Amino acid sequence: LPGFVDTHLHLHTNESGQKVPPEYVLKMWLSHGITHGRTVGAGNTRWMIETAKRSAANEITGPRMEVYPMFGRASIGQPEPTTEKAAREQIQLMKRAGASGVKFIGAPENVLKAALDEASKQGLNSTMHHAQIAVKHANVLDTSAMGLKGMEHWYGLPEAMFTDRQIQHYPADYIYQDEQNRFAEAGRLWKQAAKPGSDKWNEVMQTLLDRDFGLSPTFTAYIATRDVMRMARAKWHEEYTMPQLWSFYRPNRDAHGSYWFYWTLEDEIQWKQNYRLWMQFVNEYKNKGGRVTVGSDSGYTYNLYGFGHIMEMELLYEAGFTGLEVIHAATLQGARQLGIDEDYGSIEVGKKADFVVVEENPLANLHVLRGTGAVRVNDNSGEVERVGGIRWVIKDGIV
């Protein structure tokens, strides 16, 4: 297969909450076939850009990376912009530093608009996690009209399809900074939006299609909400999850994404219903010609580097994609979203020699792409065996 492209990566370090060495993360990604990706919101932008240059030159072992610093944060060495002038200056600084694009998360409306306009002027790509505290003035219809090229996750999409309210229903005692509160209520959002096939649903979808807007759903980033125990007991943890990362995953009010303080069956059922509507939109968007990519957002919620990329592919399959459509999303569609498809994303003469070599057929069973492979009974011996896993990853012609 072509090398995989992951549109939502975080290269964590020993200094991050996960306390994992970057070499571990890079090799977990590469060993699962990711030869190119997009880092969104790395803690130290200049270090991230330098690391990306080293990987592109094959001085270190890992995927090539397009670096998208997070707008509004101090990672580029500037305070959070509060004026349009400061917003433009931060975007210009990102360009000079060598960024490929910008990740937005939220800002005052005039500041966000100025920053998106400047990103377009500077030739920088863009994506956004539409923070729930900003979606009232910045849902996907607002931001795509401002020039945003794509979105991460799904915040800002159902809010654009409200018909009987302007703001999501929140309990009176809701606290955004309490992550169990935040993610429990997020799992009750899609049912508040317009119904599938309704005029509003179709109108929002068509507008995004007309604007050539890309979706990076990161289904796998929230999959534990449907069944915490299943994700916590995944086979690969015992061999591949570093102890310090395991500690980060466990319920912890001080660790982002470790919000299982008292996660209930009701929360899991609500999230299962949330996924059904979310997946229906994404699958229909793909069917109508929209660009959907594979982004894993690993390092949180029992979502392990590399394994999360394959799980995201499996979740697209659950959403209704065929096996070939999943591979398409993981390769050429990702390259197109990053604007690198002239050189990457498919096996063609003149493109980079990026390949994923497998011994089993992933179209018959995507599970064989996991680092732990898949379980089956050997027809000759009757023994239970594990088959699959990626045999070779080739990046730039280097095995």
Side-chain angles (χ1 to χ4, degrees), residues 9 11 13 21 23-24 52-53 59 63 65 80 95 118 164 193 206 209 230 238 248 267 272 275 304 359 366 377 392:
L9 300 174
L11 183 56
T13 67
E23 294 83 0
Y24 165 74
K53 289 178 179 177
E59 295 174 5
M65 292 168 284
E80 183 173 345
K95 175 70 173 182
E118 190 63 32
D164 61 352
Q206 191 58 52
L209 289 167
R230 176 179 181 273
E238 61 194 58
F248 181 87
D267 292 324
K272 287 177 181 178
Y275 264 88
L304 188 56
E359 294 176 331
L366 281 167
V377 174
W392 300 106

Side-chain angles (χ1 to χ4, degrees), residues 191-202:
K191 65 183 180 182
Q192 299 177 44
K195 295 185 183 303
S198 65
D199 290 345
K200 187 66 173 179
W201 172 285
N202 292 332

Side-chain angles (χ1 to χ4, degrees), residues 361-373:
N361 184 359
L363 297 181
N365 182 8
L366 281 167
H367 288 334
V368 301
L369 293 175
R370 295 175 178 175
T372 49

Side-chain angles (χ1 to χ4, degrees), residues 57 173 175:
D173 59 353
I175 300 174

Side-chain angles (χ1 to χ4, degrees), residues 9 11 26 29 35-39 48 51-53 55-56 60 62-67 100:
L9 300 174
L11 183 56
L26 290 167
W29 285 340
T35 56
H36 211 115
R38 169 172 65 186
T39 66
M48 186 66 248
T51 302
K53 289 178 179 177
S55 185
I60 57 176
R64 293 180 221 86
M65 292 168 284
E66 306 296 316
V67 181
S100 305

Side-chain angles (χ1 to χ4, degrees), residues 143-392:
T143 54
S144 61
M146 297 176 193
L148 184 70
K149 305 301 183 186
M151 65 178 290
E152 307 302 302
H153 317 309
W154 50 271
Y155 312 109
L157 178 52
E159 290 92 341
M161 297 190 290
F162 284 162
T163 57
D164 61 352
R165 68 198 66 201
Q166 290 189 331
I167 299 172
Q168 174 187 351
H169 169 74
Y170 292 108
D173 59 353
Y174 177 83
I175 300 174
Y176 177 78
Q177 296 298 347
D178 182 318
E179 286 204 347
Q180 172 150 329
N181 232 188
R182 186 195 315 176
F183 289 101
E185 292 308 315
R188 292 160 168 80
L189 176 53
W190 271 90
K191 65 183 180 182
Q192 299 177 44
K195 295 185 183 303
S198 65
D199 290 345
K200 187 66 173 179
W201 172 285
N202 292 332
E203 174 194 334
V204 170
M205 183 172 297
Q206 191 58 52
T207 300
L208 296 179
L209 289 167
D210 291 344
R211 292 172 180 171
D212 194 27
F213 195 72
L215 305 184
S216 177
T218 69
F219 288 130
T220 190
Y222 307 95
I223 193 63
T225 61
R226 303 195 308 186
D227 189 342
V228 180
M229 185 172 67
R230 176 179 181 273
M231 280 298 291
R233 302 308 302 163
K235 180 68 177 175
W236 43 84
H237 287 312
E238 61 194 58
E239 188 170 354
Y240 294 103
T241 299
M242 295 187 77
Q244 56 268 47
L245 182 57
W246 180 253
S247 296
F248 181 87
Y249 285 154
R250 306 295 288 161
N252 185 344
R253 292 187 182 274
D254 296 319
H256 175 53
S258 302
Y259 47 82
W260 324 107
F261 313 146
Y262 188 59
W263 201 250
T264 67
L265 175 62
E266 173 68 15
D267 292 324
E268 292 182 342
I269 297 301
Q270 290 291 339
W271 265 99
K272 287 177 181 178
Q273 295 171 352
N274 214 44
Y275 264 88
R276 282 195 279 271
L277 294 169
W278 180 18
M279 285 179 161
Q280 186 169 345
F281 188 97
V282 171
N283 188 53
E284 189 175 327
Y285 194 76
K286 173 265 299 177
N287 289 343
K288 292 185 175 180
R291 188 166 52 258
V292 178
T293 66
V294 173
S296 59
D297 195 10
S298 299
Y300 309 96
T301 64
Y302 299 104
N303 173 14
L304 188 56
Y305 308 101
F307 286 92
H309 184 84
I310 307 306
M311 182 168 285
E312 183 70 7
M313 294 166 71
E314 295 169 357
L315 288 165
L316 287 175
Y317 194 93
E318 180 185 331
F321 286 50
T322 66
L324 281 173
E325 287 173 336
V326 169
I327 301 301
H328 187 220
T331 55
L332 190 56
Q333 291 291 60
R336 286 172 173 161
Q337 187 63 30
L338 302 190
I340 58 172
D341 52 300
E342 286 190 7
D343 294 315
Y344 310 103
S346 58
I347 298 173
E348 298 180 52
V349 173
K351 288 194 175 185
K352 289 287 188 179
D354 287 5
F355 306 105
V356 173
V357 183
V358 296
E359 294 176 331
E360 301 291 328
N361 184 359
L363 297 181
N365 182 8
L366 281 167
H367 288 334
V368 301
L369 293 175
R370 295 175 178 175
T372 49
V375 175
R376 78 176 177 198
V377 174
N378 186 298
D379 289 339
N380 295 319
S381 67
E383 297 294 321
V384 176
E385 61 184 5
R386 283 193 172 268
V387 297
I390 292 168
R391 187 69 182 90
W392 300 106

